[in-house]
Amino acid sequence: MPTTVARKKDFLSVLDFDAADLENCLALAAQVKADRSLGRHAPTADALDGRHVALLFDKPSLRTRTTFEIAVRELGGHIVPLQPDVALGCREPVADVARNLERWVDGVVIRTFSQKVLQEFAASARRLHVVNALTDEEHPCQAIADFLTLRERLGLGTLRGRTIAYVGDGNNVATSLVHAAAMLGVHVHVASPESYQLPHSVVQQATSVARHGARLRLFNEAIDAVAGVDAVYTDTWTSMGQEAEADVRRRVFAPFQVNEDVMAAAGPGALFMHCLPAHRGEEVTSDVFESDVSVVFDQAENRLHGQKALLLMLLATTVA
Ligand code: CP
């Protein structure tokens, strides 16, 4: 199977991909998903033979950590699970952690707080491939899984011109979703409370990478944002590190809950999406979460296939 090499050595942001990288990653993810049943006979089973990938998580994770561990193993590579006590920038400078790791491993998957710290880490180690497993600002691996899911559910090759709505906090998940949508020619409607909207810089970035006429529109009301869309996406109202704000956020975000009224205002058969973990009764009702249009566990599964494709594009030298 031909594997395209990514344009950049790192994947810190969807914006590290160009549109061709992103399209190639989605196509490759679909292929490795189809090949998974071949097990050790899959064409990519030894693609990372002799390669080591370290995982450094400063925040909790179920999906991202598990799927990266399985992805590396199923590609024939070795996992180096680092303990959180490495604590980027606390015990020793970020650059020193990076310059140690590049002497031992080929790639590092990092979940941490600051995108700037991640950028400093990646810039400090020219031989090391660095992957963003979530920062406060971006969650690019989630976006790959999200658009793989939409490709599957809305039909191969038909994403251009589709419209999705994101209802809730203009956070890291929303940012990466908007970046990827713009590159893929997908229109996005974002509805958020005042003061919780997408950063202006993200709107500008999306505009600058938009293809095929992709439009980003911001709304004040959920019901307006979802009118006629193909999918409704939401995320937690209180992200990791914001726990002290939880009570305030519950009040401010209450009108932005995705419930049956919101889904009824969306297009016929519109999908419900969530990156998980979900909080039933807050950002989504249990009925919507458990409904037939909910594709949240497809998204979770596709984290694995998307990240395999990403690792192949960043790290694989040869694929049988
Ligand atoms: N969606 C997501 O990133 O899940 P985890 O926080 O469990 O990794």
Side-chain angles (χ1 to χ4, degrees), residues 169 171 196 235-251 253 277 279 282-283:
D169 194 11
N171 63 10
Y196 296 90
D235 187 16
T236 182
W237 293 339
T238 305
S239 293
M240 288 177 271
Q242 298 170 336
E243 289 77 7
E245 304 170 27
D247 286 343
V248 173
R249 284 174 168 267
R250 262 186 226 108
R251 276 198 304 279
F253 281 93
H279 306 83
E282 293 192 15
E283 73 269 12

Side-chain angles (χ1 to χ4, degrees), residues 13 42 44 49 69 77 97 109-110 113 128 141 143 229 231 234 257 268 290:
S13 168
T44 54
D49 186 28
E69 287 207 21
V97 179
V109 174
I110 300 179
F113 294 88
L128 196 57
C141 295
V229 301
T234 191
Q257 181 187 65
E290 300 293 347

Side-chain angles (χ1 to χ4, degrees), residues 60-64 111 139 142 275-276 303:
S61 171
L62 169 64
R63 283 148 289 272
T64 311
R111 171 169 288 197
H139 198 0
Q142 182 67 50
C275 56
L276 304 180
R303 297 297 305 275

Side-chain angles (χ1 to χ4, degrees), residues 103-131:
R103 301 298 178 110
W104 309 318
V105 304
D106 302 285
V108 186
V109 174
I110 300 179
R111 171 169 288 197
T112 191
F113 294 88
S114 160
Q115 186 81 8
K116 277 207 170 65
V117 166
L118 192 69
Q119 287 163 347
E120 181 189 351
F121 185 101
S124 305
R126 279 181 300 159
R127 295 196 301 273
L128 196 57
H129 297 278
V130 181
V131 174

